[in-house]
Structure formats: C-alpha cells, structure tokens
Amino acid sequence: MATVKTLLWLGLSLSAFGITTADVNSVPRAQDVHWVSLDFTTHLRWSVTSSDYTYTVRFSREDADWEESPNCIQISASECDLTQSLKASDRAYFADVQTEIMDMDYELPHTQSSRFNPYRESNISAVSFTVAPLDDRRVIVNITDPLTSIYDRGKQLSIRDIFKKDLNYKIRYYKSGSTGKRDEISNSSMKVIPGLDKGESYCFMVATFIRSRPKATQQGSWSMQQCTESSQDNLQGVTPSIFQLLQFWQPEDSFLDLSVGAWVGVGFIMLTVLIVIVTVTVLCCRQRNKTLQTSQSSAPV
Ligand SMILES: *[C@@H]1O[C@H](CO)[C@@H](O)[C@H](O)[C@H]1NC(C)=O
Ligand SMILES: *[C@@H]1O[C@H](CO)[C@@H](O)[C@H](O)[C@H]1NC(C)=O
Ligand SMILES: *[C@@H]1O[C@H](CO)[C@@H](O)[C@H](O)[C@H]1NC(C)=O
C-alpha cells in the first residue's frame, strides 16, 4: 500500500506542482548495469523498475570525453548495442545509463557501468575445426579463425585480425577410451600433432587461448570434440547399416500395420542376427577345436 500511496503522491505532485528537486531522487536509476560480449558483439544491459522512463547511454574510452551512443538515445529498451562504438584495440571503456525525464534542468539520475575492455574481456565462442590424418602417426588440425562483429573499412575482422600475435589455440586431445589428456598450444590456425599411436582413434577439442589476457578470460569456449577413426574398428562398416534398417521401425505402429519397408527391415535384422550367431558359433567351435588339439598335442605322453 505504501508504494501505491507514494506513486499517487508522485503523480499528483508531478501534475499539480511540477517536479521539485527532491523528486529526482525517486526517479528510478538503471540497475545491475553490466556488459555482455561475445566475439566482440558487445551489449550493455540493465534492469529497470518502471516502464515509464526512457534511457540514454553514453560511453567513454578511458581518459576521453563522454559520447552519446547514437542508437541508444531515449530508448525504452533495457539494452544497448555498443559493438560499433567500441574499438577492438586494447582499451577500456565505461558506459553510463541515464534515466530521462522531459524538461528537466538538473542532473538526471544515472548509473555507471564497470570498466570494460573488449580486447581483454569479450568472450570468445567455440571455434570450428577439422582434423585429418597426415600419416600413421600424425594428424593435421585445421582451425577456422572466427569472425567478429567488428568492421574495418568494410572488411569484417576475424579474431586473428584483432589479436594478431596474441592469438593462440589450445588443442586438447586424448586416445579414445583413455583418460590421459594432452594440451598443445598453437600460434597458427594449422597445427600438426605428431607422436600418435598407429591405428588408434584420437579425439580433439580446440579453444582460443589469448596469453596476454587475464587468466579468467584467457581461454575461449571449447569446441565440440572430433575423433579420428581407428583402423582396427572392423564393426564400423556393419553397425551403421543396422541402424539405418532400424529407421523403418515405427514403434507406434501396431504389429500388423507395419509397412513393407518395416517388414523388409525386420527381415534384414533377423538375417543379420542369424549370420552373426552362425559366424560366432563357427569361430568359437574352430577356436575350441584348436585349443583342444593344442592341449592334446602338448599333453605329456
Ligand atoms: C563471459 O562468459 C561468462 C561465463 O558464461 C559470463 O559469466 C560473463 O559474464 C561473460 N562476459 C561477458 C563480458 O559477456
Ligand atoms: C583449412 O580449412 C579452410 C577452411 O575450412 C580451408 O579453406 C583450407 O583449405 C583448409 N586447409 C587444409 C590444409 O586442410
Ligand atoms: C610460432 O611458434 C613457432 C614455434 O613454436 C615459432 O617458431 C614461431 O616464431 C611462432 N610464430 C609467431 C608468429 O609467434
């Protein structure tokens, strides 16, 4: 009730008596002003307690004058895209969110952001890469430098254009089924990984690694892992075809409603299972015979 009364009183005083300096204190400030930045797309966000006001965002590079952000003058949103206003060079910025009231002469309530340097603090998303075998014991990891939202004379800059020599990639890899992981740092987008075990499958992940940054933001997001094929995996040819056949099976169909395709699928699965059973049995018997023969021949006479 108290707040309703306050609002009524505020409304009355606004309309009947005009705004007094004291009322400025009850004009809500932007709260929780914070930066969100991914691959140099940088937004300032804040929260508001009332939708009755608009906001103007100003920004300044450290030791420079404040400028208004052209797209964020008297906006009613609680977010401002500052991507094009912030240079990607290693400089820090402040922003300031001012609550707007019409026809006011005195200083408006405003909230200043924390210091923000996109070069050091913009998060870097997962990169895409390929991994291809070079020979028995080496693979080549080929990383695509991600693009940012920064343009320079019409050219969209990649993170390598911005970070230059500071840009490294961390390549993490492990042998399939083993827990030991190895990290390699690469200063180029292509890296040969030597010393792998012949015929084994290895899995790789990549993240950007910017040495000059503070620890907390040094490493970008990890990419999805990619694995090389093991040359010993004989089942690989068979397994996918069974899964492809299984796609004919529609679990919601009643048994008799199965399509021709599904029947063919079922037939194939049964046939495959039969072949596997026969093969396994034959192999087992042959193995046992061999073992028997061996034990017979090596038995003392
Ligand atoms: C970067 O990502 C972290 C983790 O998701 C998040 O806490 C942080 O606010 C992000 N920083 C920026 C500037 O977006
Ligand atoms: C690396 O990837 C890029 C982009 O995907 C491609 O243009 C380039 O030819 C690849 N290089 C090698 C050696 O695979
Ligand atoms: C990248 O690393 C290699 C060896 O690790 C080094 O010889 C080369 O000078 C480095 N290049 C740059 C641009 O730092």
Side-chain angles (χ1 to χ4, degrees):
M1 278 323 277
T3 46
V4 174
K5 263 186 204 156
T6 317
L7 281 177
L8 278 176
W9 178 82
L10 186 68
L12 269 179
S13 55
L14 280 174
S15 50
F17 309 111
I19 301 167
T20 66
T21 316
D23 296 329
V24 171
N25 295 326
S26 58
V27 172
R29 281 165 206 277
Q31 284 167 10
D32 182 31
V33 174
H34 63 280
W35 299 95
V36 179
S37 181
L38 183 65
D39 302 334
F40 291 90
T41 300
T42 303
H43 290 206
L44 191 72
R45 288 193 187 149
W46 59 92
S47 53
V48 299
T49 48
S50 158
S51 55
D52 298 343
Y53 299 90
T54 59
Y55 301 87
T56 293
V57 174
R58 299 178 306 153
F59 66 94
S60 82
R61 211 175 66 199
E62 248 174 351
D63 309 321
D65 292 336
W66 288 98
E67 286 175 57
E68 278 184 349
S69 172
N71 300 323
C72 307
I73 296 169
Q74 294 182 3
I75 56 168
S76 47
S78 56
E79 174 162 4
C80 175
D81 185 348
L82 283 161
T83 306
Q84 305 309 328
S85 305
L86 311 187
K87 300 275 183 300
S89 53
D90 190 359
R91 299 286 184 82
Y93 288 84
F94 289 99
D96 190 85
V97 185
Q98 197 163 52
T99 311
E100 295 281 1
I101 310 164
M102 290 310 187
D103 308 325
M104 292 270 294
D105 286 338
Y106 18 83
E107 202 193 337
L108 295 163
H110 61 101
T111 309
Q112 191 168 314
S113 75
S114 60
R115 185 178 184 274
F116 182 74
N117 178 343
Y119 190 89
R120 286 162 180 266
E121 295 166 75
S122 186
N123 282 330
I124 306 293
S125 55
V127 299
S128 62
F129 71 102
T130 59
V131 47
L134 209 56
D135 54 38
D136 280 350
R137 300 175 61 89
R138 296 187 303 167
V139 295
I140 183 159
V141 176
N142 183 9
I143 302 160
T144 309
D145 298 328
L147 291 172
T148 68
S149 310
I150 308 278
Y151 286 80
D152 183 27
R153 279 172 247 123
K155 176 180 180 272
Q156 189 173 9
L157 302 184
S158 73
I159 59 171
R160 185 170 295 282
D161 296 325
I162 290 171
F163 291 117
K164 302 192 175 75
K165 279 188 176 168
D166 275 354
L167 176 64
N168 286 273
Y169 288 107
K170 189 185 268 188
I171 301 170
R172 173 165 291 178
Y173 62 102
Y174 61 94
K175 202 194 288 188
S176 270
S178 120
T179 50
K181 290 183 163 61
R182 290 195 58 184
D183 286 344
E184 280 287 339
I185 305 278
S186 168
N187 62 10
S188 94
S189 305
M190 250 189 259
K191 172 82 175 168
V192 174
I193 307 280
L196 305 179
D197 289 346
K198 195 178 163 187
E200 295 285 349
S201 160
Y202 281 85
C203 296
F204 296 80
M205 291 195 297
V206 177
T208 55
F209 188 76
I210 295 135
R211 248 182 242 281
S212 61
R213 284 183 160 198
K215 272 265 178 304
T217 54
Q218 228 166 27
Q219 191 174 311
S221 303
W222 281 113
S223 61
M224 296 269 285
Q225 74 171 20
Q226 294 200 34
C227 303
T228 59
E229 277 182 27
S230 142
S231 62
Q232 286 153 4
D233 205 348
N234 294 326
L235 272 177
Q236 252 170 5
V238 177
T239 327
S241 59
I242 290 180
F243 281 116
Q244 276 156 19
L245 288 173
L246 275 174
Q247 282 170 2
F248 285 114
W249 184 270
Q250 306 286 330
E252 63 269 26
D253 287 346
S254 86
F255 192 63
L256 289 172
D257 281 350
L258 290 182
S259 65
V260 178
W263 279 115
V264 173
V266 169
F268 267 115
I269 290 167
M270 286 174 138
L271 200 65
T272 314
V273 169
L274 200 69
I275 290 173
V276 168
I277 290 174
V278 169
T279 315
V280 167
T281 318
V282 168
L283 282 178
C284 276
C285 291
R286 202 181 280 171
Q287 190 63 38
R288 198 189 294 157
N289 283 346
K290 225 183 255 171
T291 331
L292 272 174
Q293 277 164 11
T294 328
S295 53
Q296 271 164 7
S297 60
S298 63
V301 187

